[in-house]
Amino acid sequence: MKYFIFILSVLTLLASCEEDDICLDGKTPQLYLKFQNQTPASEGRMDSLIVYRKEANGNFEMILVKAQLNAIDSAKVSLRIDEVNQTELILTTRRNEPALYDTLRVNYDRNVVYGSKACGYKVNYIQTEYNITQQFFVDKEELDTNITNEEAPHLLLYY
């Protein structure tokens, strides 16, 4: 009897959900960075990545630490969602002595889109411009100037 009541309550709960009560595609897309060695024949590889993001109060917050035995070839980084149309990121690796820091400034226009009742609003970043200092990363290739999904890389950085 106890199991019957439990199963009945679960079925009632599932049956009461409407189609738009479940959010399938409502999150704000992240900046998808791809990394590549400029001279593929060389032995250099990127085995770690640390990313800091400048917050509204002017301080930098560590938002990503990635370290692995194999070379790191990509990373996804959250941009700011407030009213500011620029995100400043500091990228570094632990491999370099002394450490080399690159500043990546991403300028964009924000496009706020209403998804559904369950998803709420998400921010798409359009007409993005990428500016980077070149200490560790020696070149960049802009692959997509609109950040509307995370399926394909937006920026390719060569080291």
Side-chain angles (χ1 to χ4, degrees), residues 63-88:
I63 60 169
L64 179 69
V65 176
K66 208 171 183 182
Q68 58 192 45
L69 295 175
N70 300 328
I72 295 175
D73 67 343
S74 65
K76 292 182 180 179
V77 179
S78 298
L79 300 177
R80 292 177 56 174
I81 59 170
D82 54 6
E83 297 297 321
V84 178
N85 288 345
Q86 181 186 60
T87 298
E88 187 173 339

PDB file of all heavy atoms in Angstrom, residues 63-88:
ATOM      1  N   ILE A  63      38.030  32.036 -12.549  1.00  0.00           N
ATOM      2  CA  ILE A  63      36.810  31.351 -12.987  1.00  0.00           C
ATOM      3  C   ILE A  63      37.087  29.999 -13.627  1.00  0.00           C
ATOM      4  O   ILE A  63      36.168  29.216 -13.834  1.00  0.00           O
ATOM      5  CB  ILE A  63      35.986  32.222 -13.950  1.00  0.00           C
ATOM      6  CG1 ILE A  63      36.782  32.585 -15.204  1.00  0.00           C
ATOM      7  CG2 ILE A  63      35.470  33.457 -13.246  1.00  0.00           C
ATOM      8  CD1 ILE A  63      35.949  33.209 -16.293  1.00  0.00           C
ATOM      9  N   LEU A  64      38.344  29.716 -13.963  1.00  0.00           N
ATOM     10  CA  LEU A  64      38.642  28.443 -14.601  1.00  0.00           C
ATOM     11  C   LEU A  64      40.075  28.038 -14.307  1.00  0.00           C
ATOM     12  O   LEU A  64      40.991  28.832 -14.462  1.00  0.00           O
ATOM     13  CB  LEU A  64      38.445  28.538 -16.117  1.00  0.00           C
ATOM     14  CG  LEU A  64      38.747  27.291 -16.936  1.00  0.00           C
ATOM     15  CD1 LEU A  64      37.729  26.200 -16.660  1.00  0.00           C
ATOM     16  CD2 LEU A  64      38.784  27.618 -18.411  1.00  0.00           C
ATOM     17  N   VAL A  65      40.232  26.812 -13.863  1.00  0.00           N
ATOM     18  CA  VAL A  65      41.552  26.206 -13.712  1.00  0.00           C
ATOM     19  C   VAL A  65      41.471  24.859 -14.399  1.00  0.00           C
ATOM     20  O   VAL A  65      40.608  24.043 -14.088  1.00  0.00           O
ATOM     21  CB  VAL A  65      41.939  26.020 -12.224  1.00  0.00           C
ATOM     22  CG1 VAL A  65      43.276  25.305 -12.116  1.00  0.00           C
ATOM     23  CG2 VAL A  65      41.973  27.347 -11.513  1.00  0.00           C
ATOM     24  N   LYS A  66      42.344  24.663 -15.350  1.00  0.00           N
ATOM     25  CA  LYS A  66      42.328  23.428 -16.117  1.00  0.00           C
ATOM     26  C   LYS A  66      43.760  22.916 -16.210  1.00  0.00           C
ATOM     27  O   LYS A  66      44.647  23.638 -16.645  1.00  0.00           O
ATOM     28  CB  LYS A  66      41.776  23.725 -17.516  1.00  0.00           C
ATOM     29  CG  LYS A  66      41.103  22.602 -18.199  1.00  0.00           C
ATOM     30  CD  LYS A  66      40.413  23.101 -19.472  1.00  0.00           C
ATOM     31  CE  LYS A  66      39.684  21.962 -20.122  1.00  0.00           C
ATOM     32  NZ  LYS A  66      39.040  22.334 -21.361  1.00  0.00           N
ATOM     33  N   ALA A  67      43.983  21.697 -15.767  1.00  0.00           N
ATOM     34  CA  ALA A  67      45.299  21.074 -15.861  1.00  0.00           C
ATOM     35  C   ALA A  67      45.102  19.604 -16.175  1.00  0.00           C
ATOM     36  O   ALA A  67      44.242  18.948 -15.611  1.00  0.00           O
ATOM     37  CB  ALA A  67      46.068  21.240 -14.557  1.00  0.00           C
ATOM     38  N   GLN A  68      45.913  19.106 -17.086  1.00  0.00           N
ATOM     39  CA  GLN A  68      45.799  17.704 -17.462  1.00  0.00           C
ATOM     40  C   GLN A  68      47.106  17.226 -18.059  1.00  0.00           C
ATOM     41  O   GLN A  68      47.968  18.023 -18.410  1.00  0.00           O
ATOM     42  CB  GLN A  68      44.636  17.488 -18.421  1.00  0.00           C
ATOM     43  CG  GLN A  68      44.716  18.295 -19.705  1.00  0.00           C
ATOM     44  CD  GLN A  68      43.406  18.263 -20.471  1.00  0.00           C
ATOM     45  OE1 GLN A  68      42.340  18.415 -19.893  1.00  0.00           O
ATOM     46  NE2 GLN A  68      43.488  18.073 -21.764  1.00  0.00           N
ATOM     47  N   LEU A  69      47.245  15.925 -18.163  1.00  0.00           N
ATOM     48  CA  LEU A  69      48.467  15.340 -18.700  1.00  0.00           C
ATOM     49  C   LEU A  69      48.590  15.582 -20.198  1.00  0.00           C
ATOM     50  O   LEU A  69      49.674  15.824 -20.709  1.00  0.00           O
ATOM     51  CB  LEU A  69      48.511  13.841 -18.402  1.00  0.00           C
ATOM     52  CG  LEU A  69      48.590  13.483 -16.914  1.00  0.00           C
ATOM     53  CD1 LEU A  69      48.515  11.980 -16.726  1.00  0.00           C
ATOM     54  CD2 LEU A  69      49.853  14.042 -16.294  1.00  0.00           C
ATOM     55  N   ASN A  70      47.494  15.492 -20.917  1.00  0.00           N
ATOM     56  CA  ASN A  70      47.507  15.763 -22.353  1.00  0.00           C
ATOM     57  C   ASN A  70      47.415  17.263 -22.581  1.00  0.00           C
ATOM     58  O   ASN A  70      47.042  18.024 -21.685  1.00  0.00           O
ATOM     59  CB  ASN A  70      46.339  15.060 -23.039  1.00  0.00           C
ATOM     60  CG  ASN A  70      46.383  13.566 -22.848  1.00  0.00           C
ATOM     61  OD1 ASN A  70      47.459  12.983 -22.759  1.00  0.00           O
ATOM     62  ND2 ASN A  70      45.223  12.947 -22.772  1.00  0.00           N
ATOM     63  N   ALA A  71      47.696  17.682 -23.769  1.00  0.00           N
ATOM     64  CA  ALA A  71      47.628  19.105 -24.097  1.00  0.00           C
ATOM     65  C   ALA A  71      46.176  19.597 -24.030  1.00  0.00           C
ATOM     66  O   ALA A  71      45.263  18.904 -24.449  1.00  0.00           O
ATOM     67  CB  ALA A  71      48.202  19.350 -25.481  1.00  0.00           C
ATOM     68  N   ILE A  72      45.996  20.782 -23.515  1.00  0.00           N
ATOM     69  CA  ILE A  72      44.677  21.409 -23.470  1.00  0.00           C
ATOM     70  C   ILE A  72      44.409  22.017 -24.835  1.00  0.00           C
ATOM     71  O   ILE A  72      45.213  22.793 -25.343  1.00  0.00           O
ATOM     72  CB  ILE A  72      44.612  22.475 -22.362  1.00  0.00           C
ATOM     73  CG1 ILE A  72      44.762  21.807 -21.001  1.00  0.00           C
ATOM     74  CG2 ILE A  72      43.326  23.274 -22.452  1.00  0.00           C
ATOM     75  CD1 ILE A  72      44.844  22.769 -19.860  1.00  0.00           C
ATOM     76  N   ASP A  73      43.288  21.665 -25.432  1.00  0.00           N
ATOM     77  CA  ASP A  73      43.001  22.191 -26.759  1.00  0.00           C
ATOM     78  C   ASP A  73      41.791  23.124 -26.794  1.00  0.00           C
ATOM     79  O   ASP A  73      41.555  23.781 -27.794  1.00  0.00           O
ATOM     80  CB  ASP A  73      42.807  21.056 -27.763  1.00  0.00           C
ATOM     81  CG  ASP A  73      41.558  20.239 -27.481  1.00  0.00           C
ATOM     82  OD1 ASP A  73      41.028  20.319 -26.368  1.00  0.00           O
ATOM     83  OD2 ASP A  73      41.116  19.516 -28.391  1.00  0.00           O
ATOM     84  N   SER A  74      41.038  23.222 -25.693  1.00  0.00           N
ATOM     85  CA  SER A  74      39.875  24.112 -25.696  1.00  0.00           C
ATOM     86  C   SER A  74      39.440  24.424 -24.269  1.00  0.00           C
ATOM     87  O   SER A  74      39.804  23.721 -23.327  1.00  0.00           O
ATOM     88  CB  SER A  74      38.711  23.487 -26.467  1.00  0.00           C
ATOM     89  OG  SER A  74      38.265  22.333 -25.802  1.00  0.00           O
ATOM     90  N   ALA A  75      38.643  25.475 -24.156  1.00  0.00           N
ATOM     91  CA  ALA A  75      38.060  25.864 -22.866  1.00  0.00           C
ATOM     92  C   ALA A  75      36.819  26.703 -23.145  1.00  0.00           C
ATOM     93  O   ALA A  75      36.747  27.408 -24.155  1.00  0.00           O
ATOM     94  CB  ALA A  75      39.051  26.646 -22.024  1.00  0.00           C
ATOM     95  N   LYS A  76      35.852  26.620 -22.238  1.00  0.00           N
ATOM     96  CA  LYS A  76      34.651  27.448 -22.324  1.00  0.00           C
ATOM     97  C   LYS A  76      34.640  28.382 -21.125  1.00  0.00           C
ATOM     98  O   LYS A  76      34.819  27.949 -19.993  1.00  0.00           O
ATOM     99  CB  LYS A  76      33.398  26.586 -22.358  1.00  0.00           C
ATOM    100  CG  LYS A  76      33.287  25.783 -23.632  1.00  0.00           C
ATOM    101  CD  LYS A  76      32.021  24.978 -23.680  1.00  0.00           C
ATOM    102  CE  LYS A  76      31.970  24.187 -24.984  1.00  0.00           C
ATOM    103  NZ  LYS A  76      30.766  23.361 -25.059  1.00  0.00           N
ATOM    104  N   VAL A  77      34.436  29.669 -21.402  1.00  0.00           N
ATOM    105  CA  VAL A  77      34.541  30.707 -20.379  1.00  0.00           C
ATOM    106  C   VAL A  77      33.266  31.536 -20.377  1.00  0.00           C
ATOM    107  O   VAL A  77      32.792  31.965 -21.432  1.00  0.00           O
ATOM    108  CB  VAL A  77      35.764  31.615 -20.655  1.00  0.00           C
ATOM    109  CG1 VAL A  77      35.879  32.699 -19.617  1.00  0.00           C
ATOM    110  CG2 VAL A  77      37.043  30.794 -20.733  1.00  0.00           C
ATOM    111  N   SER A  78      32.721  31.782 -19.190  1.00  0.00           N
ATOM    112  CA  SER A  78      31.524  32.613 -19.051  1.00  0.00           C
ATOM    113  C   SER A  78      31.898  34.088 -19.151  1.00  0.00           C
ATOM    114  O   SER A  78      32.839  34.541 -18.507  1.00  0.00           O
ATOM    115  CB  SER A  78      30.853  32.364 -17.702  1.00  0.00           C
ATOM    116  OG  SER A  78      30.430  31.037 -17.608  1.00  0.00           O
ATOM    117  N   LEU A  79      31.128  34.819 -19.941  1.00  0.00           N
ATOM    118  CA  LEU A  79      31.299  36.260 -20.036  1.00  0.00           C
ATOM    119  C   LEU A  79      30.356  36.934 -19.045  1.00  0.00           C
ATOM    120  O   LEU A  79      29.459  36.308 -18.495  1.00  0.00           O
ATOM    121  CB  LEU A  79      31.002  36.734 -21.460  1.00  0.00           C
ATOM    122  CG  LEU A  79      31.893  36.138 -22.552  1.00  0.00           C
ATOM    123  CD1 LEU A  79      31.445  36.643 -23.921  1.00  0.00           C
ATOM    124  CD2 LEU A  79      33.344  36.477 -22.315  1.00  0.00           C
ATOM    125  N   ARG A  80      30.561  38.230 -18.842  1.00  0.00           N
ATOM    126  CA  ARG A  80      29.693  38.961 -17.917  1.00  0.00           C
ATOM    127  C   ARG A  80      28.307  39.123 -18.522  1.00  0.00           C
ATOM    128  O   ARG A  80      28.162  39.319 -19.721  1.00  0.00           O
ATOM    129  CB  ARG A  80      30.304  40.329 -17.615  1.00  0.00           C
ATOM    130  CG  ARG A  80      31.577  40.214 -16.814  1.00  0.00           C
ATOM    131  CD  ARG A  80      32.225  41.534 -16.561  1.00  0.00           C
ATOM    132  NE  ARG A  80      31.316  42.451 -15.894  1.00  0.00           N
ATOM    133  CZ  ARG A  80      31.693  43.655 -15.464  1.00  0.00           C
ATOM    134  NH1 ARG A  80      32.918  44.060 -15.625  1.00  0.00           N
ATOM    135  NH2 ARG A  80      30.829  44.440 -14.883  1.00  0.00           N
ATOM    136  N   ILE A  81      27.286  39.054 -17.670  1.00  0.00           N
ATOM    137  CA  ILE A  81      25.913  39.190 -18.160  1.00  0.00           C
ATOM    138  C   ILE A  81      25.258  40.494 -17.715  1.00  0.00           C
ATOM    139  O   ILE A  81      24.101  40.748 -18.031  1.00  0.00           O
ATOM    140  CB  ILE A  81      25.033  37.994 -17.716  1.00  0.00           C
ATOM    141  CG1 ILE A  81      24.991  37.885 -16.205  1.00  0.00           C
ATOM    142  CG2 ILE A  81      25.510  36.716 -18.345  1.00  0.00           C
ATOM    143  CD1 ILE A  81      23.973  36.890 -15.696  1.00  0.00           C
ATOM    144  N   ASP A  82      26.010  41.342 -17.004  1.00  0.00           N
ATOM    145  CA  ASP A  82      25.438  42.614 -16.573  1.00  0.00           C
ATOM    146  C   ASP A  82      25.429  43.602 -17.745  1.00  0.00           C
ATOM    147  O   ASP A  82      25.680  43.244 -18.882  1.00  0.00           O
ATOM    148  CB  ASP A  82      26.191  43.163 -15.351  1.00  0.00           C
ATOM    149  CG  ASP A  82      27.689  43.271 -15.582  1.00  0.00           C
ATOM    150  OD1 ASP A  82      28.148  43.039 -16.713  1.00  0.00           O
ATOM    151  OD2 ASP A  82      28.408  43.573 -14.624  1.00  0.00           O
ATOM    152  N   GLU A  83      25.153  44.846 -17.464  1.00  0.00           N
ATOM    153  CA  GLU A  83      24.955  45.851 -18.507  1.00  0.00           C
ATOM    154  C   GLU A  83      26.252  46.276 -19.214  1.00  0.00           C
ATOM    155  O   GLU A  83      26.201  47.007 -20.191  1.00  0.00           O
ATOM    156  CB  GLU A  83      24.271  47.089 -17.912  1.00  0.00           C
ATOM    157  CG  GLU A  83      22.881  46.816 -17.375  1.00  0.00           C
ATOM    158  CD  GLU A  83      21.923  46.362 -18.468  1.00  0.00           C
ATOM    159  OE1 GLU A  83      21.977  46.879 -19.586  1.00  0.00           O
ATOM    160  OE2 GLU A  83      21.114  45.458 -18.184  1.00  0.00           O
ATOM    161  N   VAL A  84      27.398  45.856 -18.735  1.00  0.00           N
ATOM    162  CA  VAL A  84      28.670  46.228 -19.339  1.00  0.00           C
ATOM    163  C   VAL A  84      28.853  45.440 -20.631  1.00  0.00           C
ATOM    164  O   VAL A  84      28.566  44.255 -20.692  1.00  0.00           O
ATOM    165  CB  VAL A  84      29.836  45.938 -18.360  1.00  0.00           C
ATOM    166  CG1 VAL A  84      31.170  46.283 -18.984  1.00  0.00           C
ATOM    167  CG2 VAL A  84      29.633  46.710 -17.073  1.00  0.00           C
ATOM    168  N   ASN A  85      29.324  46.113 -21.677  1.00  0.00           N
ATOM    169  CA  ASN A  85      29.499  45.464 -22.974  1.00  0.00           C
ATOM    170  C   ASN A  85      30.935  45.033 -23.217  1.00  0.00           C
ATOM    171  O   ASN A  85      31.397  45.002 -24.361  1.00  0.00           O
ATOM    172  CB  ASN A  85      29.038  46.393 -24.096  1.00  0.00           C
ATOM    173  CG  ASN A  85      27.530  46.533 -24.122  1.00  0.00           C
ATOM    174  OD1 ASN A  85      26.818  45.746 -23.507  1.00  0.00           O
ATOM    175  ND2 ASN A  85      27.045  47.527 -24.811  1.00  0.00           N
ATOM    176  N   GLN A  86      31.647  44.715 -22.164  1.00  0.00           N
ATOM    177  CA  GLN A  86      33.018  44.231 -22.296  1.00  0.00           C
ATOM    178  C   GLN A  86      33.334  43.274 -21.157  1.00  0.00           C
ATOM    179  O   GLN A  86      32.919  43.492 -20.024  1.00  0.00           O
ATOM    180  CB  GLN A  86      34.025  45.383 -22.264  1.00  0.00           C
ATOM    181  CG  GLN A  86      35.468  44.916 -22.411  1.00  0.00           C
ATOM    182  CD  GLN A  86      36.474  46.040 -22.240  1.00  0.00           C
ATOM    183  OE1 GLN A  86      36.516  46.676 -21.183  1.00  0.00           O
ATOM    184  NE2 GLN A  86      37.245  46.298 -23.268  1.00  0.00           N
ATOM    185  N   THR A  87      34.044  42.211 -21.478  1.00  0.00           N
ATOM    186  CA  THR A  87      34.571  41.299 -20.468  1.00  0.00           C
ATOM    187  C   THR A  87      36.073  41.259 -20.645  1.00  0.00           C
ATOM    188  O   THR A  87      36.569  41.098 -21.759  1.00  0.00           O
ATOM    189  CB  THR A  87      33.982  39.883 -20.622  1.00  0.00           C
ATOM    190  OG1 THR A  87      32.562  39.954 -20.440  1.00  0.00           O
ATOM    191  CG2 THR A  87      34.563  38.932 -19.594  1.00  0.00           C
ATOM    192  N   GLU A  88      36.775  41.435 -19.545  1.00  0.00           N
ATOM    193  CA  GLU A  88      38.234  41.380 -19.571  1.00  0.00           C
ATOM    194  C   GLU A  88      38.683  40.103 -18.876  1.00  0.00           C
ATOM    195  O   GLU A  88      38.303  39.843 -17.739  1.00  0.00           O
ATOM    196  CB  GLU A  88      38.813  42.608 -18.866  1.00  0.00           C
ATOM    197  CG  GLU A  88      40.300  42.730 -18.985  1.00  0.00           C
ATOM    198  CD  GLU A  88      40.807  44.045 -18.425  1.00  0.00           C
ATOM    199  OE1 GLU A  88      40.032  45.017 -18.311  1.00  0.00           O
ATOM    200  OE2 GLU A  88      41.996  44.111 -18.096  1.00  0.00           O
TER     201      GLU A  88
END
